[in-house]
C-alpha cells in the first residue's frame, strides 16, 4: 500500500489549526488536522466569547470551535483525533507520529496553542480534578453554594472570580502582589461582588486534604504569617504556557518556549509554519489565531509551489 502524503498537516484543532485547514483545502491542498482533545482548543474553556467579530450575541467556545471544524471539513479537510507524540520535520517529507499511528506531509503547520500554568506545589497533579481546577467556566458548576479560591491577579483570574461569585457562596482571590493586573472593565463588578474577598501579597504554599482538596495554606509575603484556609475548590489562573515540548529540539524557541516566527508564520525550518498562540506574538486571541492560520496556509501553499 502506498503511503498517503498530505500537502499540509496541521497539529492542533484550535482556531488557528482549523482556519489553516480551511484556507489550505480551499487552495486545493489536501489537509489533515491532528487534534488530541476537542475541536476549538482553549475556546472550549469559555462559555462567553464577545470579541470575535460577526456575532450579535455572546457565543460559547465549544460551539464556535465546532463551527470552525465543520467550516473546514465542508471543503475537504480531515480530522483524526489523536495525540502527536513525535515529529521528524527536517526531511522533505515530514513524519508525524501519534499514539495511534504515523502520518506524512510535505508541510506542517504547528498550531498546538498554549495550556494553563501550574503552581508547582506538591500533590498538585494528584488533586487536579479533585478540588484543584484550572478552568472556572468548565468546572465552576461543581462548586455551587460552596467556598472556593482563585489564585492569580490578571484578567483571567479576576474573570474567573467574578464568574464563580455568581455560583459559589464565597470566593477568595489570592494574589501575590499588592495590586491586581486586571483591566479596568473588571473594577466595578469586583467592587460590587459581595462574596469576593481579595487577599493581596499572598501565596498558596500547600494544598491540604487527603484524596480531595479541603483547603490551602496561605502565606502573607509581607508579614510571613501563614494560615490554613478551608476550601471546597481551588482554581489556578496564573497564565498560560506554550505547548512546544515536541519542538524544542528541532525549532527555534524563545526564552519562554514560544516558537520563534513572525507575522509570516515562517519558522526556523523550511516547510514548517507556526500559527496562533504557540508562536511569538504580542496578542494571543482567537482573532489573531485565525489570522495566523490563514497566513500559514498561504505560506504552505507558496512553499509547495516553490518546491515543484
Ligand atoms: C478560559 C479562556 C477564555 C478565553 N476567552 C477568549 C475570548 O473571549 N476571546 C478571545 O479572543 N480569546 C479568548 N481566549 C484565548 C483564545 O482561546 C486563544 O487565543 C486561542 O484559542 C488560541 O488558538 P490556537 O489555535 O492558537 O490554540 P489553542 O486554542 O490552544 O488550540 C491548540 C490545540 O492543539 C491541540 N494540541 C496540542 N498539542 C497537541 C498534540 N501533541 N497533538 C494533537 N493536538 C494537540 C490542543 O488540544 C488544542 O485543541 C480564551 C482562552 C481561555 C483559556
Amino acid at each position: 500500500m502506498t503511503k498517503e502524503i498530505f500537502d499540509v498537516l496541521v497539529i492542533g484543532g484550535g482556531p488557528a489549526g482549523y482556519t489553516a485547514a480551511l484556507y489550505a483545502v480551499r487552495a486545493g491542498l489536501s489537509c489533515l488536522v491532528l487534534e488530541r482533545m476537542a475541536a476549538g482548543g482553549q475556546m472550549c474553556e469559555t462559555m462567553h466569547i464577545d470579541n470575535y467579530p460577526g456575532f450579535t450575541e455572546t457565543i460559547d467556545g465549544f460551539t464556535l470551535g465546532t463551527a470552525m471544524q465543520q467550516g473546514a471539513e465542508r471543503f475537504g479537510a480531515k480530522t483524526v483525533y489523536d495525540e502527536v507524540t513525535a515529529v521528524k520535520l527536517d526531511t522533505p517529507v515530514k513524519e508525524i507520529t501519534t499514539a495511534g499511528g504515523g502520518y506524512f506531509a510535505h508541510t506542517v503547520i504547528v498550531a498546538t496553542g498554549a495550556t494553563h500554568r501550574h503552581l508547582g506545589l506538591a500533590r498538585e497533579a494528584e488533586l487536579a480534578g479533585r478540588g484543584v481546577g484550572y478552568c472556572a467556566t468548565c468546572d465552576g458548576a461543581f462548586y455551587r453554594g460552596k467556598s472556593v479560591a482563585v489564585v492569580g491577579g490578571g484578567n483571567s483570574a479576576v474573570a474567573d472570580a467574578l464568574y464563580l461569585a455568581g455560583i459559589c457562596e464565597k470566593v477568595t482571590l489570592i494574589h501575590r502582589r499588592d495590586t491586581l493586573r486586571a483591566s479596568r472593565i473588571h473594577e466595578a463588578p469586583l467592587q460590587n461582588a459581595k462574596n469576593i474577598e481579595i487577599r493581596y501579597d499572598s501565596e498558596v504554599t500547600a494544598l491540604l486534604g487527603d484524596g480531595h482538596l479541603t483547603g490551602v495554606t496561605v502565606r502573607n509575603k509581607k508579614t510571613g504569617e501563614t494560615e490554613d484556609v478551608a476550601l471546597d475548590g481551588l482554581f489556578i489562573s496564573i497564565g498560560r504556557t506554550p505547548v512546544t515540548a515536541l519542538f524544542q529540539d528541532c525549532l527555534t524557541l524563545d526564552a519562554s518556549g514560544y516558537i520563534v516566527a513572525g507575522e509570516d508564520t515562517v519558522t526556523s525550518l523550511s516547510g514548517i509554519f507556526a500559527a496562533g498562540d504557540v508562536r511569538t506574538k504580542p496578542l494571543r486571541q482567537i482573532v489573531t489565531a485565525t489570522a495566523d492560520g490563514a497566513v500559514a496556509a498561504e505560506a504552505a501553499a507558496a512553499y509547495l509551489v516553490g518546491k515543484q
Side-chain angles (χ1 to χ4, degrees), residues 11-17 34-43 45-46 48-52 82-85 111-115 135 137 156 160 240 243 246 275-278 284-289:
I11 308 178
L34 293 171
E35 166 55 49
R36 66 180 172 186
M37 286 168 74
Q42 294 169 70
M43 293 193 304
E45 295 183 26
T46 181
H48 301 285
I49 293 168
D50 291 310
N51 58 1
Y52 189 68
D82 207 348
E83 174 158 16
V84 174
T85 52
T112 48
T115 187
C135 177
T137 45
S156 296
D160 284 352
R240 313 200 65 80
V243 182
L246 284 172
D277 279 14
V278 77
R284 294 190 173 87
Q285 289 278 280
I286 302 162
V287 74
T288 60

